[in-house]
Structure formats: C-alpha cells, structure tokens
C-alpha cells in the first residue's frame, strides 16, 4: 500500500501579522492533487493541525475541506492526531461526522489501535496513534521528583510502556504503523517549534518508539528528517516555512510503499505551494535594495531585510520599500557603530565558554530565566559525548 505522511500544518498561523491562509489553501490544493497522482491509499497527519487551541473559523473551515477532499468522500482513509498546539477535545469533536467519510480524529492518548483495509491492494494496516502525550493529557503524574533527568527518564519509560502495550496488536500479515506528535532525542529543531517543555523533560529516546512498527510517523519538528532508530522513524516536517529560521528549507511530504513484513520504501516529495522566506543583507545600502527590487529578486518571498547605512533611514523610506514590495517583514537598518558592536559581540561569543553560551541561549528561550546548575552540567556532559562520538 502507498501511504502519505504529513504533519504540522499550523492552520491559522500568521507571519508578523501577515496571513498565511492563501498559502495554506494552495498547499491543500497541491496535496489533494499529489494524493491522486501518487495513488495514495492512506493519509497520516501527525498533529498540529492548527496553530492554537482556539483557531479562527477560516482555519477550521480549510481543515474540514481538506479532510473531505483527501478522503475522496470516504474512498481513502485519513488518520489525524492532536499535537501540542491543538485542543484535543476540539479536534476530536467532529469525529462522529468525520468517521462517515473514513476520517479518524484522535485528540487524547487512548488504549486502542485502528485497523483499515485497503481494497486496491487487498492489504490491511494496523495503526497505533499517540497524540501529544503530556502529563495532563496522559492524566497522570510521571514523577514526584523535579530533577530533569528523572522526569525525562520517567516520561520516556511511560511512552515506551504505552507503545509496547498497543504494539502487541501488530500482526505479521498487516502493515504495522505508529504515529505520534512529540520530540524524539536526536531531532533537529528550528525556532518556529515552540518548546514542548523547557529543558527537555518532555522528550523520548528512540527505543521508546521502537516497538515493532514498520514505520513511525512523527510530528512536531518542522525540518523533514529521519531519526536514527531500529526501524524507519521520520518527521515529515511542516508544509510551509513558519519562521525565518526555516529560510532555505525545502518543504515536503513523505510517501511510502509498504507491504506486510517488508522494509518500507520511502520517497520525499517536495512542495511548491508556500512562499519562500529569505534573508536580504544589503551591504551596499538602499541603492542595492532598489536594484534587487528592479531586478525582481525573490518576487514571491517574505523578506527579512538587513540594510547597511551611513545615514539615518527615514520612515518615508521604510514606507516606500513596503509599498514597492509587500513581502517585507523586517527592515533593519545597520549603521557603522552598530556593525562594530555586532562584530565585537560575535568575537566575544566565540571566546565564551560553552556553559556561558548555554546560559545565554536558555535565557533567550525562557524570557530571562536562569538554568539550574544540574541542567548546565547535563548539557556539558551531552556535548562531551557528542565530541567523543565525532572523534571515533
């Protein structure tokens, strides 16, 4: 059977107040066409359908339209789980209606697997779906202790136990799948993924999900990537770039050919519907920016502009740029004295010890909080392990 894996749609999200709805609508059109052209039998959506627990009506309307079109009025099964951005009850509220179209919506972790039959191939798939499993959504306290290493071990062990129990229902004659929305150690983040929990207590190791599934479909990280594990484990990534930390990333969906008892064959299919996010660094000042505009550089992009100037940039000049190209998101003038300060900070940063760099990073991520000494120690130990591995 042919399976399409996607995740992290974040319908309702904006970019500094600019609507992304037209891009998200174009993505749905592209995805529906792709599903038909690729003869997809089954669609997996691994969480973060919306960007907030209270999405705008237009985002909900687009999601339901997408489900109807992807399922082809019940001809193609579609499975959806809640991510950390979704309200689990709200996502699952439409489950009785969605079920009539062959769409399964699961909001909270549950002790059951789903089985679906694919008429085209005569095969069946058994799917265990684990929506974002926070302590509150698991309805249990993971540990009485506050130490992060203990919490993370308890969380990882709990996820492993849940997955193992449901994986007992996998069979040799079925395609066996696991889908979840969480952070697996080893995955590479971008700034647009708001942390599931500061410090990493809500992370799991790969062994927690290596329970016999032929494919583990993951959501949460926006960069498409495989995770090193005993079986094929992958983040499909987001369909659009949602922050400038994702500038230059190619967005895609994952398509798999899987037979019972066989290794899956994977293909990454790149998307074209989203507007690119780009950085412009104009060392030549405003004249260079205007030259790029006249040349039609990056005509459809959202732009983060850094322009180097010797004279103060007026509001009129800023307005003129925005009128010339609506894609400007940030316009940051840099003056000679500022450039010297930036260079000085960069040199200082390269000379700072790793524990100090980690403290600065932690402060930025948490809005000024100081990391516990144990967390700094753990970071340095993990860094040392990485360096040892790289030296082998």
């Amino acid at each position: 059977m042919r399976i399409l894996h996607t995740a992290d749609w974040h319908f309702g999200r904006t970019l500094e107040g600019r609507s992304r709805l037209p891009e998200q609508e174009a993505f749905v059109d592209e995805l529906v066409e792709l599903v038909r052209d690729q003869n997809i039998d089954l669609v997996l959506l691994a969480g973060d359908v919306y960007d907030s627990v209270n999405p705008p009506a237009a985002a909900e309307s687009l999601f339901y339209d997408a489900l109807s079109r992807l399922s082809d009025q019940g001809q193609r099964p579609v499975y959806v789980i809640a991510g950390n951005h979704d309200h689990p009850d709200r996502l699952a509220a439409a489950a009785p209606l969605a079920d009539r179209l062959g769409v399964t919506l699961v909001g909270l972790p549950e002790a059951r697997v789903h089985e679906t039959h694919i008429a085209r191939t005569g095969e069946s798939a058994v799917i265990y779906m684990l929506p974002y499993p926070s302590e509150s959504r698991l309805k249990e306290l993971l540990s009485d202790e506050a130490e992060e290493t203990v919490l993370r071990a308890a969380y990882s062990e709990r996820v492993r136990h849940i997955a193992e129990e449901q994986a007992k229902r996998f069979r040799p004659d079925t395609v066996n799948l696991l889908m979840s929305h969480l952070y697996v150690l080893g995955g590479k983040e971008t700034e647009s993924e708001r942390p599931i929990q500061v410090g990493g207590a809500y992370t799991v190791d790969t062994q927690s999900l290596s329970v016999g599934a032929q494919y583990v479909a993951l959501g949460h990280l926006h960069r498409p990537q495989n995770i090193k594990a005993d079986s094929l484990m992958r983040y499909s990534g987001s369909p659009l770039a949602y922050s400038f930390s994702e500038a230059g990333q190619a967005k895609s969906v994952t398509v798999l050919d899987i037979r019972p008892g066989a290794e899956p064959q994977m293909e990454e299919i790149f998307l074209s519907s989203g507007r690119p996010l780009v950085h412009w660094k104009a060392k030549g000042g405003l004249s260079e920016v205007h030259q790029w505009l006249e040349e039609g550089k990056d005509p459809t992009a959202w732009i983060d502009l850094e322009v180097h100037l010797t004279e103060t940039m007026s509001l009129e000049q800023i307005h003129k740029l925005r009128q010339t190209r609506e894609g400007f998101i940030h316009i940051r003038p840099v003056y000679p004295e500022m450039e010297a300060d930036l260079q000085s900070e960069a040199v200082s940063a390269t000379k700072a010890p790793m524990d100090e760099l980690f403290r600065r990073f932690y402060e930025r991520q948490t809005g000024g909080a100081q990391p516990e000494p144990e967390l700094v120690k753990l970071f340095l130990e993990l860094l040392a392990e990485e360096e040892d591995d790289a030296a082998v």
Side-chain angles (χ1 to χ4, degrees):
M1 67 181 68
R2 286 177 65 76
I3 298 170
L4 184 139
H5 168 206
T6 180
D8 296 280
W9 289 4
H10 288 277
F11 285 178
R13 187 158 186 165
T14 61
L15 183 64
E16 300 293 336
R18 273 72 162 187
S19 174
R20 310 297 299 277
L21 186 63
E23 295 170 80
Q24 292 165 341
E25 290 172 339
F27 157 66
V28 170
D29 290 341
E30 184 177 8
L31 186 64
V32 169
E33 184 176 351
L34 190 155
V35 161
R36 290 172 181 162
D37 291 345
Q38 293 290 324
N39 296 315
I40 298 300
D41 299 305
L42 172 68
V43 176
L44 303 177
L45 173 47
D48 278 357
V49 172
Y50 302 118
D51 193 55
S52 71
V53 295
N54 188 27
E60 289 189 297
S61 178
L62 180 59
F63 174 53
Y64 293 132
D65 177 63
L67 292 182
S68 176
R69 295 168 67 189
L70 289 171
S71 71
D72 194 15
Q73 300 299 312
Q75 299 302 305
R76 181 184 300 109
V78 178
Y79 289 86
V80 185
I81 59 173
N84 57 301
H85 285 250
D86 301 312
H87 192 299
D89 294 331
R90 184 164 185 167
L91 181 74
L97 288 174
D99 188 59
R100 298 177 188 177
L101 290 176
V103 175
T104 303
L105 304 175
V106 180
L108 289 167
E110 56 183 20
R112 64 174 294 198
V113 298
H114 296 260
E115 184 168 349
T116 186
H117 181 73
I118 305 301
R120 185 183 68 85
T121 64
E123 299 164 335
S124 293
V126 172
I127 309 165
Y128 176 55
M129 295 186 285
L130 181 63
Y132 169 56
S134 65
E135 274 186 293
S136 60
R137 296 187 190 185
L138 289 172
K139 297 182 179 179
E140 62 183 280
L141 181 66
L142 294 171
S143 174
D144 291 327
E145 297 190 41
E147 186 180 345
E148 179 169 338
T149 52
V150 175
L151 279 173
R152 188 172 65 203
Y155 179 69
S156 198
E157 174 61 23
R158 183 65 183 122
V159 169
R160 184 193 65 76
H161 176 73
I162 293 170
E164 279 186 345
E165 283 300 306
Q166 301 312 311
K168 291 176 181 177
R169 304 183 194 183
F170 290 159
R171 304 199 308 269
D173 63 331
T174 58
V175 170
N176 300 311
L177 306 168
L178 191 157
M179 176 165 63
S180 190
H181 187 98
L182 73 180
Y183 180 60
V184 178
L185 290 175
K188 295 181 180 178
E189 302 172 79
T190 60
E191 290 177 3
S192 63
E193 298 123 13
R194 285 166 236 167
I196 283 183
Q197 176 156 313
V198 171
Y202 279 0
T203 61
V204 301
D205 58 54
T206 57
Q207 291 304 309
S208 297
L209 298 177
S210 298
V211 292
Q214 291 165 267
Y215 180 66
V216 179
L218 297 173
H220 180 56
L221 299 187
H222 291 188
R223 183 195 304 270
Q225 57 192 288
N226 288 358
I227 302 297
K228 291 182 179 179
D230 296 337
S231 57
L232 183 56
M233 190 177 296
R234 179 171 173 82
Y235 287 98
S236 65
S238 61
L240 304 180
Y242 283 115
S243 84
F244 283 98
S245 66
E246 298 175 58
Q249 281 186 23
K251 296 301 182 177
S252 63
V253 294
T254 301
V255 171
L256 304 116
D257 276 297
I258 311 182
R259 298 177 183 275
E263 291 289 324
Q265 302 299 309
M266 191 199 86
E267 180 183 4
E268 184 176 15
I269 299 183
F270 294 99
L271 300 169
S272 61
S273 47
R275 293 176 63 169
L277 274 62
V278 300
H279 296 285
W280 282 9
K281 191 171 185 178
K283 289 280 191 176
L286 282 173
S287 60
E288 187 171 23
V289 177
H290 287 298
Q291 179 183 339
W292 290 338
L293 291 172
E294 289 172 6
E295 293 171 352
K297 180 179 181 180
D298 300 319
T300 64
W302 298 112
I303 303 167
D304 173 66
L305 171 64
E306 177 184 304
V307 53
H308 292 244
L309 303 167
T310 55
E311 297 181 355
T312 302
M313 190 177 190
S314 68
L315 286 176
E316 182 181 352
Q317 289 172 314
I318 293 174
H319 289 320
K320 185 178 179 181
L321 283 180
R322 294 197 184 280
Q323 288 171 353
T324 305
R325 178 75 69 82
E326 59 87 23
F328 283 112
I329 300 297
H330 305 128
I331 298 176
R332 296 192 309 279
V334 176
Y335 304 104
E337 58 273 19
M338 292 172 60
E339 193 167 3
D341 289 342
L342 289 172
Q343 291 175 350
S344 176
E345 287 181 13
V347 171
S348 174
T350 59
K351 294 181 179 179
M354 286 306 300
D355 58 339
E356 177 59 29
L357 292 175
F358 176 72
R359 288 188 179 91
R360 294 178 192 174
F361 168 78
Y362 189 94
E363 287 180 32
R364 288 198 303 271
Q365 291 292 102
T366 60
Q370 292 289 322
E372 295 293 330
E374 293 81 3
L375 181 58
V376 178
K377 181 182 177 183
L378 175 63
F379 168 75
L380 294 175
E381 289 173 353
L382 290 172
L383 184 65
E385 289 177 9
E386 288 288 329
E387 291 174 349
D388 290 343
D389 290 343
V392 174

